[in-house]
Amino acid sequence: MKTNAATHQHEHRHRRRRRGLKQAIIRTDLDLTAGKAAVQAAHASLWAANNTGPDIRNEWETGLAAKIVLGCSDVTELNDLVGTADKQGLPTATVDDAGRTEINAGTRTAAAIGPAASDAIGTVTGTQPLYK
C-alpha cells in the first residue's frame, strides 16, 4: 500500500503528464528590452488561453499554468509557426504592438500556441530555441 506522500507524488506526476502547456514565442530580431518581451509574452499567453474552451483553460490554470518562452528569428517564422498550429487545430494568439513604447504600431512581436498537450505543441515548436 502506498503512503500518502507516495500517492501525492503519483497524482502530481499524472497531473503533469496530462497538463496543457502554453508556449509564448517572441521575435529575437526586434531586440526588445526584457520588460517589453515579458509583456508581449504575457499578452500572447492570456489571449491564447481565452481562445480555448473552459475545460481546457481550467485544466491549464489548475495545472500550474505552464508557459515556455521560445524565440524565433523574424515575423515570417513567427507566422509560419502560428499557421502550422492553426492547421493542427491548436489554440493560437498573435500580438501586434500598439506602438506606444519601443516599436512601431502594428509590429507583430509575439505569439502563443496552446494551452494544449505538450506533445501536440512540440510537433510545431520542437526545434525552436528558448528565448534569451
Side-chain angles (χ1 to χ4, degrees):
M1 180 176 231
K2 293 180 180 178
T3 66
N4 285 343
T7 301
H8 175 73
Q9 185 178 25
H10 171 75
E11 289 173 0
H12 178 71
R13 278 196 308 265
H14 179 68
R15 252 195 332 258
R16 187 173 49 206
R17 261 189 309 230
R18 69 186 169 119
R19 173 178 23 163
L21 177 68
K22 176 171 302 188
Q23 297 181 319
I25 304 164
I26 306 291
R27 288 176 53 189
T28 57
D29 63 318
L30 295 176
D31 197 31
L32 302 174
T33 63
K36 182 69 172 180
V39 168
Q40 300 304 289
H43 285 321
S45 178
L46 292 172
W47 293 343
N50 287 333
N51 288 337
T52 65
D55 291 342
I56 293 172
R57 188 170 48 251
N58 184 56
E59 183 178 337
W60 174 73
E61 289 172 345
T62 59
L64 304 178
K67 289 169 261 339
I68 297 173
V69 181
L70 304 174
C72 70
S73 61
D74 56 30
V75 70
T76 300
E77 184 178 22
L78 184 69
N79 288 336
D80 288 347
L81 291 165
V82 170
T84 300
D86 285 339
K87 287 178 188 170
Q88 293 185 18
L90 296 170
T92 62
T94 55
V95 179
D96 297 334
D97 196 71
R100 294 187 189 113
T101 56
E102 298 180 20
I103 54 180
N104 293 329
T107 301
R108 179 151 297 169
T109 58
I113 300 170
S118 60
D119 56 347
I121 293 172
T123 64
V124 177
T125 63
T127 60
Q128 297 306 121
L130 290 174
Y131 181 81
K132 294 182 181 188

